[in-house]
Each structure stands twice: as C-alpha cells, then as structure tokens.
Amino acid sequence: MLEGNRVSRISVRGFAVASATAVTAVGSVVGVASGSVAQPSNDAEATASDSTLLADIPAGQQAQVQTASLTQQADAQAIAADASAKKDAEAAARKQAADDAVAKQQAAAKQAKAEKDAKEREAAEKAASRSATRDASSFSVQSSYTVAQIQAMAAQMVPSGQFQCFSNIVNHESSWNYHAVNASSGAYGLFQALPAGKYASAGSDWQTNPATQIKWGLNYMNGRYGSPCEAWSFWQANHWY
C-alpha cells in the first residue's frame, strides 16, 4: 500500500521524465491493467533514478499524467509540422520567385529581339526603296527628251515597288516636264524644286538632264519621308510634299 506522503515525492523533474518517456509510462500502465509486472529498462532507471515514475503515482492521477504527456507530444508534433510547412512554403516561394525572374528575363529578351528584328526589316525596306537600279550618270546625254523617255529613265532609277507613287507625284507637280516653271514662285522642273538650284546637289547638268532631276527627286523623297510612297501619302493628305 502507498504511503500517505508518496504523492509529495513527485518532483517537477519526475513529471518531465514521465512526459518524455510517455511510451514507457503508457506501457507500464497497460501492464498494470493486464496484471503483468513491467520491468523498467536500464535506460529508464538511469534517467529516473531519483524521480517518481508513473507507477509511483496514485491511480487517480495516472490518467492526468498520461493526458499531459500525450498532449505535450501532440503539441511538439504540431510545432514540428508547422515548422516543416513553413519551410516548404518558403522554399516554394523562393522557387516561384526564381521562376518568375527567369520568365521575365525571357519575355524581355523575346521583346527586345522582336523590336530588333522589326527595326532591321524596316531598315532593309528603306534601303531597298532607296537603292536605284540605275544611276543618273549612266544615261547618254540628249539635246531633248520626250515624256516617254523621261518616264523610262525614272522606271530604271526608282525601285519597282515605289515607281507608281513616284510617278503620281511627278504627274501632279509637272506632268513630267523637266523644264516646267511655276510663274509665281519660280519652282522648277519635274519636282518643282524651290529654289531651282536645289537640283545642283545631284549634278551640275540639272537644267538639261532629266536623269539628274530624277536622282534629286528620289533622294529628296527618301530623305524627307522615307520612300516615294510615304511622300505620296503625305502629298495626298496635304497636296504638297
């Protein structure tokens, strides 16, 4: 029979040992319930040599000790689970951030390439529109030229995709008359250059050679508008260029 003061022997450390060795304690209780005598292991004896084990606690309080131990274990497991979940969430967040950064870099690189390709295409198109198939100096000089001859010269100097736009402007400006003069302003030639001396940048024979005027007009349209067709679009909107 337990002595009356046995409960007072339960120390704080005894409770800790009882909680930390819940499996052993619970096994002891089960042994007691089944009528068997549980022998403490050497480890348990060494750990609790100066402490009160579950078997030393009055039967009425054993359930409380077991509940406290199991609760403590459950709390420890919950804390461990929370820490693991937090660690997994942080790892997932870092991975997502890295994936987002890579995706952003790839999108930026793709956009930069698309812009570069577009600029290169635009430059190639402009270069193609500016490249004459024949230079003005390659035509033989004549004392006079018909409209058909001037148009044939222009067709050989202006890129084929730009010729119709080029022709539309010349039709409106001078009707292909390389000696045309505007009586009020003094604008001269196929493109009604003002002052007329602007043609000299393409050649000194600008007054007598329509090929020189064509060269100047093509350079002017390419330089100011990008191409004859862009110059023609401007002309249609403003009736001058």
Side-chain angles (χ1 to χ4, degrees):
M1 180 175 178
L2 297 177
E3 297 179 2
N5 63 348
R6 181 62 61 85
V7 175
S8 64
R9 291 174 56 218
I10 299 176
S11 64
V12 174
R13 184 178 179 186
F15 259 108
V17 172
S19 298
T21 59
V23 175
T24 302
V26 172
S28 298
V29 173
V30 172
V32 171
S34 61
S36 62
V37 178
Q39 295 297 326
S41 66
N42 292 335
D43 291 341
E45 290 177 350
T47 303
S49 59
D50 61 341
S51 304
T52 301
L53 298 178
L54 186 63
D56 296 327
I57 302 173
Q61 296 184 11
Q62 289 182 6
Q64 296 178 3
V65 172
Q66 294 177 54
T67 301
S69 176
L70 294 175
T71 300
Q72 187 178 40
Q73 289 184 55
D75 290 344
Q77 291 173 355
I79 292 172
D82 289 344
S84 178
K86 182 178 180 181
K87 183 178 180 180
D88 291 343
E90 291 175 348
R94 287 194 296 270
K95 184 178 183 302
Q96 186 62 50
D99 291 344
D100 290 345
V102 171
K104 186 176 181 180
Q105 289 177 348
Q106 291 176 342
K110 185 177 180 180
Q111 179 65 24
K113 185 178 184 303
E115 292 176 355
K116 180 181 178 181
D117 291 345
K119 288 181 180 179
E120 288 177 351
R121 284 195 301 270
E122 183 180 358
E125 291 172 357
K126 287 185 177 182
S129 70
R130 294 176 182 179
S131 61
T133 56
R134 186 172 176 182
D135 189 75
S137 62
S138 65
F139 294 97
S140 59
V141 178
Q142 300 177 194
S143 58
S144 64
Y145 301 85
T146 65
V147 169
Q149 289 175 323
I150 297 172
Q151 290 175 334
M153 294 167 68
Q156 295 178 68
M157 296 175 67
V158 179
S160 59
Q162 299 290 321
F163 179 75
Q164 188 57 58
C165 298
F166 185 91
S167 179
N168 291 342
I169 292 176
V170 178
N171 280 332
H172 283 284
E173 293 296 318
S174 64
S175 299
W176 291 94
N177 179 2
Y178 67 107
H179 288 309
V181 178
N182 185 304
S184 61
S185 67
Y188 184 86
L190 295 173
F191 306 95
Q192 292 294 281
L194 184 67
K198 287 182 177 181
Y199 288 116
S201 63
S204 59
D205 60 347
W206 58 272
Q207 290 178 299
T208 59
N209 189 350
T212 299
Q213 293 188 18
I214 293 170
K215 179 181 179 180
W216 179 88
L218 181 60
N219 289 340
Y220 173 79
M221 294 179 197
N222 285 334
R224 185 177 179 89
Y225 299 100
S227 71
C229 283
E230 291 178 29
W232 172 235
S233 295
F234 184 89
W235 196 101
Q236 288 177 295
N238 301 277
H239 300 290
W240 61 274
Y241 74 112

